[in-house]
């Protein structure tokens, strides 16, 4: 299954890999050639070079979210910290965020250790509040981070960079980066192949038979394995994938190379992308060659289930960012799938009734760091029999997620909900008053100070 439109960066061109034909025996079979699956495979072969590892992919390497993301590598996993504290307690909330920081460091180390050319640009991320409600929520999030001793910095309105001047404040998350996710994924496949990995493309798994060994059946062949890793993420309907994951298509676009005046107005977006607070809100980053990448908003299904990005909304978001972008057009736009769960947490672990069947998915939009780190930890579980490296289980180490409705009626309800969120995000990105037009009364900071 592929997305709609073509991302501006798609890694290095490679010849198609073969389909699976006949019967293959291996130690570990990985279903899915995205970041999760290929990170698992590479880590397996680093831990035990003698393992026979096979990756089987329904389309081609990086065909899903791993090749269609916008390249934001940053911390955060699961619900906001203030929600996580209430739901899981302080120890788990703190450990979960620290785990997400470790996930970012893992990807940075992976890129540097293997010298992967993927336009890696280290920096930070700035999540900004567009209105008073968002500003209040950010204050509560900063309070939660402070109580947990976590490195999340509150940025006052007068401290925001010029490109974010129309916002009311922000939260800065350190130890982040931007990169080309398709290049990262494609090179992980080649690194694995240099170590003996076999990758089959255009070989969707049609059935799974479990027993002492597990057999995966494709259109033209079978794989028999001691362990199977389901790394299908947004494509949760695959045989053996964990329940509770639903795929959601989101959109992104990129401008042409910007003129010097526009680049000067966006100074800082190379190393610190701008992310608006809220579901499906716009976010922005600059590429190394001077293009502006913008994402935000879900893609609604069209006739016969077709999907296509809506560049008009992306164009409005770009033009609202700076007056210098008033005439800038979206050169290319595309859609890609992300995997969502009802509770906002990933799903990582073993099948409840089959210790040889493992899975990782449901990254909820944080897949660039989370998926690669999950893959490495699954490999450790297989080779070393180890769980995660924390003193207690994190809430996403589970066999399935909360139940989600499926079917046409559920799809229509989801479309309406996403249309509502998209409309709200679109209104937030419309040109608005500058800083001098802010309310003359007390700010959210003043109200909060008085209440504490």
């Amino acid at each position: 299954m592929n997305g709609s439109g073509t991302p501006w960066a798609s890694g290095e061109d490679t010849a198609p890999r073969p389909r699976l034909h006949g019967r293959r025996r291996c130690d570990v079979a990985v279903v899915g050639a995205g970041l999760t699956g290929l990170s698992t495979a590479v880590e397996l072969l680093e831990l035990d070079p003698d393992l026979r590892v096979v990756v089987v992919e329904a389309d081609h390497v990086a065909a899903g979210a791993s090749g269609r993301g916008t390249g934001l590598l940053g911390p955060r996993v699961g619900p906001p910290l203030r929600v996580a504290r209430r739901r899981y307690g302080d120890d788990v909330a703190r450990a979960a965020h620290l785990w997400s920081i470790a996930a970012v460091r893992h990807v940075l180390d992976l890129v540097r250790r293997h010298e992967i050319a993927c336009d890696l640009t280290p920096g930070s991320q700035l999540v900004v509040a567009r209105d008073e409600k968002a500003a209040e929520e950010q204050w509560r999030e900063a309070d939660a981070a402070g109580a947990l001793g976590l490195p999340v910095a509150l940025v006052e309105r007068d401290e925001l960079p010029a490109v974010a001047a129309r916002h009311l404040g922000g939260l800065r998350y350190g130890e982040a980066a931007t990169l080309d996710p398709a290049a990262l994924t494609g090179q992980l496949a080649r690194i694995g192949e240099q170590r003996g990995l076999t990758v089959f493309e255009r070989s969707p798994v049609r059935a799974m038979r479990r027993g002492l060994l597990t057999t995966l059946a494709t259109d033209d062949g079978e794989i028999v394995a001691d362990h199977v890793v389901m790394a299908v993420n947004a494509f949760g309907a695959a045989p053996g994938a964990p329940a509770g994951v639903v795929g959601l298509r989101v959109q992104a676009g990129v401008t042409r190379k910007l003129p010097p005046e526009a680049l000067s107005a966006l100074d800082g977006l190379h190393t610190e992308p701008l992310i608006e607070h809220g579901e499906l809100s716009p976010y922005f980053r600059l590429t190394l060659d001077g293009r502006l990448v913008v994402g935000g908003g879900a893609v609604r299904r069209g006739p016969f289930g077709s999907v296509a990005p809506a560049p008009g909304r992306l164009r409005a978001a770009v033009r609202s960012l700076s007056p210098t972008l008033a005439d800038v057009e979206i050169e290319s736009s595309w859609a890609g799938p992300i995997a969502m769960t009802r509770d906002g947490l990933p799903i990582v672990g073993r099948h409840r009734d089959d210790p040889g069947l493992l899975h990782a998915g449901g990254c909820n939009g944080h897949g660039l760091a989370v998926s690669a780190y999950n893959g490495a930890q699954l490999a450790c579980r297989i080779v070393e029999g180890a769980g995660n490296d924390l003193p207690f289980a994190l809430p996403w180490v589970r066999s399935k997620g909360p139940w989600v409705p499926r079917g046409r009626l559920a799809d229509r309800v989801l479309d309406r909900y996403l249309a509502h969120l998209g409309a709200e995000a679109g209104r937030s990105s419309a040109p608005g008053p500058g800083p001098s037009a802010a309310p003359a009364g007390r700010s959210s900071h003043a109200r909060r100070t008085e209440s504490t």
Side-chain angles (χ1 to χ4, degrees):
M1 181 180 289
N2 217 333
S4 300
T6 302
W8 94 104
S10 56
E12 300 174 14
D13 293 331
T14 59
R17 293 171 172 87
R19 298 176 185 266
L20 172 65
H21 289 278
R23 185 178 177 89
R24 292 290 295 256
R25 176 73 170 90
C26 64
D27 299 302
V28 184
V30 179
V31 182
L35 275 173
T36 303
L38 291 167
S39 294
T40 304
V42 169
E43 189 74 16
L44 282 168
L45 291 167
E46 289 195 322
L47 292 171
D48 186 350
D50 295 327
L51 284 176
R52 297 168 295 173
V53 183
V54 174
V55 172
V56 59
E57 163 61 39
D59 197 327
H60 60 82
V61 168
S66 298
R68 294 182 167 270
T70 48
L72 301 185
L73 176 71
R76 299 189 301 285
V77 62
L81 293 172
R82 62 187 186 276
V83 175
R85 294 182 72 195
R86 182 177 68 249
R87 190 181 295 176
Y88 309 113
D90 283 3
D91 287 345
V92 173
R94 182 185 301 108
H97 189 81
L98 292 175
W99 184 96
S100 76
I101 294 174
V104 173
R105 292 173 179 170
H106 170 79
V107 176
L108 294 175
D109 176 69
L110 186 71
V111 172
R112 290 165 178 156
R113 182 158 42 93
H114 293 289
E115 300 181 342
I116 296 175
C118 58
D119 291 345
L120 177 70
T121 306
S124 55
Q125 290 184 352
L126 183 62
V127 181
V128 291
R130 64 180 179 269
D131 54 34
E132 289 285 338
K133 179 181 178 182
E136 292 283 3
E137 290 180 355
Q138 288 197 334
W139 276 109
R140 292 198 295 272
E141 191 71 356
D143 280 344
L148 297 173
L150 296 174
V152 180
L154 187 66
V155 182
E156 299 282 3
R157 183 172 189 173
D158 59 1
E159 298 172 333
L160 290 173
V163 70
R166 69 188 181 93
H167 295 87
L168 304 184
L171 294 174
R172 177 169 285 126
Y173 296 84
E175 206 141 15
T178 61
L179 55 81
D180 177 353
L184 172 60
T185 310
Q187 291 192 48
L188 282 176
R190 287 184 284 280
I191 290 167
E193 288 167 332
Q194 290 168 2
R195 287 161 170 75
L197 173 67
T198 301
V199 180
F200 293 109
E201 295 181 329
R202 295 161 293 138
S203 301
V205 173
R206 303 298 187 186
M208 174 184 293
R209 299 192 299 274
R210 299 202 307 269
L212 293 177
L213 300 175
T214 299
T215 301
L216 303 175
T218 68
D219 293 331
D220 303 304
E222 289 185 340
I223 296 177
V224 180
D226 298 272
H227 294 88
V228 171
V229 176
M230 298 301 301
V232 295
N233 205 24
F235 306 113
V245 179
V246 60
L248 170 65
R249 289 186 179 272
V250 293
Q251 63 178 350
V254 65
T255 68
R256 65 180 186 274
K257 293 183 180 180
L258 298 176
E261 181 186 8
L263 286 174
S264 177
L266 303 181
D267 184 48
L269 289 186
H270 278 115
T271 57
E272 186 171 74
L274 195 67
I275 305 169
E276 288 202 356
H277 178 94
E279 298 288 342
L280 303 180
S281 294
Y283 55 91
F284 311 89
R285 81 169 181 94
L286 281 174
T287 65
L288 290 181
D289 64 349
R291 303 170 187 264
L292 181 66
V293 178
V294 56
V299 181
R300 298 183 67 189
R301 274 174 287 273
F304 310 109
S306 62
V307 295
R313 187 180 302 163
L314 299 174
R315 186 185 307 115
V318 167
R319 294 178 177 181
S320 71
L321 193 60
S322 168
T324 63
L325 303 176
D327 298 323
V328 171
E329 295 290 340
I330 298 294
E331 184 176 74
S332 175
S333 60
W334 64 94
I338 60 174
M340 309 293 289
T341 60
R342 277 179 58 194
D343 58 7
L345 292 171
I347 303 173
V348 184
R350 298 182 186 273
H351 190 280
R352 183 176 57 185
D353 302 319
D354 187 348
L357 178 58
L358 298 90
H359 53 256
C363 295
N364 290 273
H366 296 289
L368 192 46
V370 171
S371 58
Y373 200 36
N374 279 337
Q377 294 194 327
L378 287 180
C380 289
R381 287 190 176 203
I382 292 171
V383 175
E384 302 173 357
N388 62 60
D389 54 0
L390 296 171
F392 46 82
L394 290 166
W396 57 81
V397 180
R398 50 190 178 167
S399 61
K400 62 180 181 179
W403 176 82
V404 291
R406 305 301 292 265
R408 292 183 179 179
L409 178 59
D411 287 345
R412 287 198 296 269
V413 172
L414 178 63
D415 276 347
R416 290 179 182 177
Y417 173 65
L418 295 175
H420 167 72
L421 289 181
E424 291 295 321
R427 281 193 287 273
S428 75
S429 63
S436 62
R442 288 190 296 270
S443 68
S444 59
H445 181 191
R447 290 202 304 274
R448 173 184 174 277
T449 302
E450 290 180 354
S451 68
T452 53

